[in-house]
Amino acid sequence: MRDKKKKVDPVQKGASGEIGLESLPVTTYWTDVVRRFRKNKIAVVGLVMLLIIVILCAGAPLFTKYDPILDMDLLNQLKPPGSEGHILGTDNLGRDIWSRLLYGGRTSVLTGLTVALITGVIGVVIGLVSGYFGGIVETILMRMTDIMLSFPFLIIAIAIMAALGSSQRNIILALAIVGWPRFARLTRGQVLAVKNSEYVESAKVAGFGNARIILNHILPNCMGPIIIQATLAVGSAILSAASLTYLGLGADAAAPDWGVMLSQGRQYLQSEAYLTIIPGLAISVTVLAMNWIGDGLRDAFDPKMRK
């Protein structure tokens, strides 16, 4: 006689009669977020693009033999892409564009990350305090936020740069000053949505202090939208920094920077358009990758997307 196949129940009873859950898959909130992010093909492509850009820029000395500032060859000025020894050609001073592109990416990406970090910290703190305590504190902080949001973003940044002077450090400071209100308003909205939850009320009844409740119970439940905003803020900061540098308000003209390369190439736009197209594409691809990642994270953190 043939033995009958036994059906395997994923929830089996042990020897004591108790139900064992060892065979059930264990998923957490963050593993679920990663799973949904990986399903978004565009977001994964954006992440791969960003990783390639970061690796190339961080390891610039490994991918080029030219110094982006000192290696000038006046006998080989304005060589087009594909020239011998210069994969992307040379600029008006005979400097290798590939080298300047890689080293310039360091400055641009680092600027974007630094601005996003500073604006995120300032905005999140203001949003947490105003949303949790409310009252006069919320009124003062939110009116400050509304005032900052009422002015055009770049106009304030240009005014700050005009007062402080042109440098990469001042670009970071200017963009941080005008960028924090977005984080503050977003965080405040998230705090208002969760501060009356049962777990927050239980923490208050247990006698926990305000700082402990904010850091241990409220902030972790607001991190999803904050991470998304931070991702988008990096791309926005890279684009804004390039705009300020293009206007002559950023790094020194000799420094390898994507905005500087755009500014220097505009006078050759009709004859050697590649001087502008190449750094423009680098900025566009980087910002596009950050936006794709941000969109993927938005869908991954959205509870409506859970299945």
Side-chain angles (χ1 to χ4, degrees):
M1 296 178 63
R2 290 183 302 174
D3 294 336
K4 294 183 179 180
K5 295 183 179 179
K6 296 182 179 180
K7 295 183 179 180
V8 179
D9 191 349
V11 182
Q12 298 177 346
K13 291 185 178 181
S16 61
E18 296 180 354
I19 296 177
L21 300 178
E22 290 81 0
S23 58
L24 292 179
V26 178
T27 59
T28 64
Y29 173 76
W30 290 104
T31 56
D32 199 30
V33 167
V34 173
R35 178 183 60 82
R36 293 199 300 273
F37 181 86
R38 291 174 59 184
K39 286 186 176 181
N40 191 322
K41 303 303 182 183
I42 296 297
V44 174
V45 170
L47 181 60
V48 172
M49 289 166 54
L50 182 63
L51 288 176
I52 293 174
I53 293 170
V54 170
I55 291 172
L56 288 174
C57 294
L62 301 177
F63 300 105
T64 179
K65 62 182 179 179
Y66 297 102
D67 186 280
I69 300 176
L70 301 179
D71 287 344
M72 293 183 289
D73 188 357
L74 299 180
L75 298 178
N76 289 297
Q77 297 173 308
L78 301 176
K79 290 293 183 179
S83 300
E84 184 178 358
H86 303 283
I87 186 173
L88 295 181
T90 60
D91 63 5
N92 59 319
L93 295 177
R95 295 173 298 191
D96 183 67
I97 293 179
W98 171 248
S99 175
R100 290 181 63 79
L101 193 71
L102 295 184
Y103 282 94
R106 286 182 171 185
T107 304
S108 297
V109 174
L110 184 60
T111 297
L113 292 174
T114 304
V115 170
L117 178 61
I118 296 174
T119 55
V121 171
I122 297 174
V124 168
V125 170
I126 292 176
L128 287 172
V129 172
S130 61
Y132 182 78
F133 292 102
I136 187 65
V137 174
E138 180 184 21
T139 300
I140 294 174
L141 293 177
M142 285 300 101
R143 294 301 76 78
M144 290 173 53
T145 303
D146 292 338
I147 292 172
M148 293 296 298
L149 290 173
S150 64
F151 290 99
F153 183 83
L154 278 179
I155 297 299
I156 302 179
I158 292 173
I160 295 173
M161 291 295 298
L164 299 178
S166 299
S167 69
Q168 200 67 29
R169 182 186 62 182
N170 289 341
I171 279 185
I172 294 174
L173 181 60
L175 294 179
I177 291 175
V178 299
W180 65 264
R182 293 176 176 81
F183 280 93
R185 182 168 289 279
L186 173 68
T187 305
R188 172 182 172 271
Q190 294 298 313
V191 173
L192 292 177
V194 303
K195 76 172 186 178
N196 293 323
S197 302
E198 294 181 357
Y199 57 86
V200 176
E201 296 296 333
S202 300
K204 292 180 180 178
V205 172
F208 293 167
N210 291 327
R212 183 174 179 180
I213 293 175
I214 291 174
L215 295 178
N216 293 350
H217 299 278
I218 293 181
L219 181 58
N221 290 281
C222 301
M223 285 305 297
I226 292 173
I227 292 174
I228 298 170
Q229 178 61 31
T231 305
L232 299 176
V234 174
S236 177
I238 291 174
L239 193 60
S240 299
S243 301
L244 292 173
T245 306
Y246 179 82
L247 296 174
L249 298 174
D252 184 81
D257 181 88
W258 290 347
V260 171
M261 295 175 69
L262 276 175
S263 180
Q264 292 175 344
R266 61 182 174 180
Q267 56 184 321
Y268 302 98
L269 192 57
Q270 293 184 346
S271 57
E272 284 82 21
Y274 65 89
L275 293 176
T276 303
I277 293 175
I278 291 173
L281 283 176
I283 295 172
S284 299
V285 169
T286 305
V287 174
L288 183 63
M290 296 303 303
N291 288 340
W292 282 351
I293 294 172
D295 290 342
L297 289 174
R298 180 194 60 199
D299 295 340
F301 281 107
D302 189 354
K304 297 179 182 178
M305 301 294 293
R306 301 190 68 176
K307 294 181 180 180

